[in-house]
Structures are given as C-alpha cells and as structure tokens.
C-alpha cells in the first residue's frame, strides 16, 4: 500500500510543480504586460461538436477583439465563445498585451489569467494529500 502512496504522492507533487511553473509564467507575462481597452469588432459563428443536439452540432459565437498599440492595430479572438453570444460588436474588453510582442495578449480577469494554475492545483492537492495519507498509514 505504501508503494501506491508514493506513486500518488509523486503525481501530486508533479501537478504542484506544474502549477507553480504556470503561475511563474503568468507572473512573468504580467510583469511586462500593459492593460489596454479593446473593442469587439466582429462576432464569428463557429460550429462545435455537441452530442446534446439532435444533429450533433452547436453554433457558438466568438468575439473578435481589436486593439491599438502605438498606432498599430491588432486583432485576437476572445478567450470564450458562447451561445447565446456573450459579447456584441462595440463592447469593450480589458486586455493585457506583451509590450515586447503586442500580438501576445490575453483578456484581463482572474479565470483567464489563472485557469491553468487552478486546474493543476485542483488535481494535484487531493493527490498529494491522499498519497501522503497512504504513506503515513
């Protein structure tokens, strides 16, 4: 039983290390990023495979964001698509962009910025605790 505990603990630690690396990567990005207000310039329709519909397809609406840095225009797709649409043409969205490479941008918001860290932590912490429990018994 202890061998299983060590394996589970190792997996938990692995998830924790990757969560820490994802956090550091996000912090490095934010340290060189600046906040800009972008506008929704278009809303594109995309088909998604969804078995809950009778034909197996679901239409999602994805906002296209436009922003300007030092007179140069940039476009990017929104981080989220939805049905019904969650953004309309003309809506404003806060973005962080990399000052060294403005094409590298992300929407401002806790979940947009830390989803990977949260997911890895949510997987790693229970594994770490369970594994330690097996090892100590």
């Amino acid at each position: 039983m202890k061998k299983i505990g060590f394996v589970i603990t190792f997996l938990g630690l692995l998830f924790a290390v990757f969560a820490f690396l994802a956090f550091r990567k996000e912090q490095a990005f934010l340290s060189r990023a600046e906040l800009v207000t972008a506008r929704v310039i278009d809303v594109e329709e995309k088909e998604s495979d969804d078995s809950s519909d009778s034909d197996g397809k679901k239409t999602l609406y994805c906002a296209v964001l436009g922003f300007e840095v030092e007179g140069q225009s940039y476009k990017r797709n929104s981080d989220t698509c939805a049905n019904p649409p969650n953004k309309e043409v003309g809506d404003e969205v806060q973005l962080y962009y990399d000052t060294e490479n403005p094409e590298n941008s992300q929407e401002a918001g806790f979940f947009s910025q830390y989803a990977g860290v949260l997911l890895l932590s949510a997987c790693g912490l229970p594994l770490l605790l369970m594994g330690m429990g097996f090892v100590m018994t």
Side-chain angles (χ1 to χ4, degrees):
M1 199 61 132
K2 284 195 178 203
K3 285 182 184 179
I4 292 173
F6 283 117
V7 170
I8 293 173
T9 301
F10 175 76
L11 289 174
L13 285 172
L14 200 60
F15 274 103
V17 166
F18 283 122
F20 177 73
L21 293 174
F23 178 78
R24 293 232 357 218
K25 182 180 176 186
E26 183 61 30
Q27 291 303 303
F29 171 78
L30 291 174
S31 71
R32 65 179 185 275
E34 288 193 25
L35 194 61
V36 66
T37 300
R39 289 202 184 278
V40 177
I41 57 175
D42 193 16
V43 177
E44 297 177 342
E45 288 185 17
K46 295 191 179 187
E47 294 293 321
S48 169
D49 293 331
D50 188 354
S51 59
S52 66
D53 284 352
S54 59
D55 62 357
K57 300 285 185 191
K58 184 174 186 175
T59 302
L60 295 175
Y61 299 93
C62 307
V64 178
L65 309 174
F67 63 102
E68 199 171 289
V69 176
E70 297 176 3
Q72 178 75 29
S73 295
Y74 297 93
K75 288 191 328 185
R76 74 178 309 273
N77 291 329
S78 176
D79 292 338
T80 57
C81 298
N83 186 355
N86 58 357
K87 296 177 180 82
E88 296 179 5
V89 173
D91 287 353
E92 292 184 346
V93 177
Q94 296 294 108
L95 289 180
Y96 283 106
Y97 71 91
D98 188 338
T99 55
E100 298 169 8
N101 179 14
E103 290 181 358
N104 182 15
S105 62
Q106 68 182 28
E107 291 182 43
F110 182 80
F111 192 75
S112 295
Q113 293 167 225
Y114 296 106
V117 175
L118 291 172
L119 182 64
L120 290 168
S121 298
C123 293
L125 185 62
L127 287 173
L128 190 61
L129 294 174
M130 284 189 317
M132 288 173 55
F134 281 127
V135 168
M136 294 189 177
T137 56

